[in-house]
């Protein structure tokens, strides 16, 4: 068992199960449809949702696990998505105690949008630094960010429920 924070005990197998499930969903479902040639970012969304559920260390671990799954599917150097998702999981997990719990929907939407933007800005920057891949043209880049945010906001409730069921099954039953 891995202990994430003082209040939660989550087996590492559940973190792995969640990451592998999203990997399979991405390959079988999310990679098959797009809106203006922009697909959802399920690994980034899993990291965001996991950071809300698990806190800083759990969010970082789940982010690294989800990022590694994303790296296995991308053609960029191995470890970039793992680094980006791990950092986002750590940062959002650290901030979760300071977020407004009374306005959970608004807080969730703002966190999903802001973390998606940060992730989609950080990833190509690191990719450029490591392998000198070019940024997309500015208008295309803004389109990618806008529609990826839209996808993640739409998919966030389903991901939050799935993460709650897998990571904390006893709390879900109550």
């Amino acid at each position: 068992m891995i202990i994430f924070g003082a209040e939660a005990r989550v087996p590492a197998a559940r973190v792995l199960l969640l990451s592998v499930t999203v990997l399979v969903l991405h390959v079988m479902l999310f990679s098959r449809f797009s809106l203006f040639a922009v697909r959802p970012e399920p690994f980034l969304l899993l990291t965001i949702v996991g950071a809300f559920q698990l806190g800083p260390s759990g969010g970082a671990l789940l982010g690294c696990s989800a990022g590694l799954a994303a790296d296995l599917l991308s053609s960029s150097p191995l470890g970039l998505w793992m680094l980006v998702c791990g950092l986002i999981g750590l940062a959002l997990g650290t901030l979760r105690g300071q977020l407004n719990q009374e306005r959970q929907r608004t807080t969730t939407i703002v966190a999903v949008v802001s973390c998606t933007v940060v992730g989609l800005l950080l990833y190509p920057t690191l990719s450029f630094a490591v392998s000198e891949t070019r940024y997309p043209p500015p208008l295309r880049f803004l389109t990618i960010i806008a529609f990826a945010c839209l996808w993640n906001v739409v998919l966030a409730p389903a991901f939050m429920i799935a993460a709650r069921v897998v990571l904390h099954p006893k709390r879900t039953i109550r």
Side-chain angles (χ1 to χ4, degrees), residues 5 19 39 41 43 56 61 63 65 83-84 91 94 98 105 112 114 122 128 145 149 153 167:
S19 297
R39 293 184 176 90
E41 293 291 339
F43 303 106
L61 182 66
S65 175
L83 177 63
V84 169
T94 303
Q98 300 168 359
R105 286 187 183 140
V112 167
S114 61
L122 190 56
F128 177 75
I145 289 174
C149 287
V153 167
L167 296 174

Side-chain angles (χ1 to χ4, degrees), residues 70-81 123 126-127 130-131 133:
D71 279 332
L72 294 174
L73 296 176
S74 72
S75 60
S76 63
L78 189 64
L80 288 181
W81 269 120
Y123 179 78
L126 290 173
S127 182
V130 172
S131 63
T133 55

Side-chain angles (χ1 to χ4, degrees), residues 26-102:
H26 180 70
V27 169
M28 300 296 286
L29 181 67
F30 296 135
S31 65
R32 303 210 184 265
F33 61 90
S34 64
L35 186 61
F36 293 102
V38 178
R39 293 184 176 90
E41 293 291 339
F43 303 106
L44 195 53
L45 184 57
L46 177 63
T47 300
I48 296 164
V49 168
F52 272 125
Q53 299 284 326
L54 301 172
S57 60
L61 182 66
L62 184 58
C64 287
S65 175
L68 181 60
D71 279 332
L72 294 174
L73 296 176
S74 72
S75 60
S76 63
L78 189 64
L80 288 181
W81 269 120
M82 190 167 106
L83 177 63
V84 169
C85 290
L87 289 173
I88 288 174
L90 178 66
L92 186 59
T94 303
L95 292 174
R96 80 175 176 151
Q98 300 168 359
L99 299 175
N100 190 346
Q101 298 299 325
E102 296 170 2

Side-chain angles (χ1 to χ4, degrees), residues 112-136:
V112 167
V113 169
S114 61
C115 289
T116 300
V117 169
V118 167
L120 292 177
L121 288 172
L122 190 56
Y123 179 78
T125 302
L126 290 173
S127 182
F128 177 75
V130 172
S131 63
E132 295 186 12
T133 55
R134 295 179 157 238
Y135 283 95

Side-chain angles (χ1 to χ4, degrees), residues 45 108-110 112-113 116 147-158:
L45 184 57
T108 302
I109 291 170
V110 169
V112 167
V113 169
T116 300
F147 284 104
C149 287
L150 179 67
W151 276 121
N152 282 357
V153 167
V154 169
L155 294 172

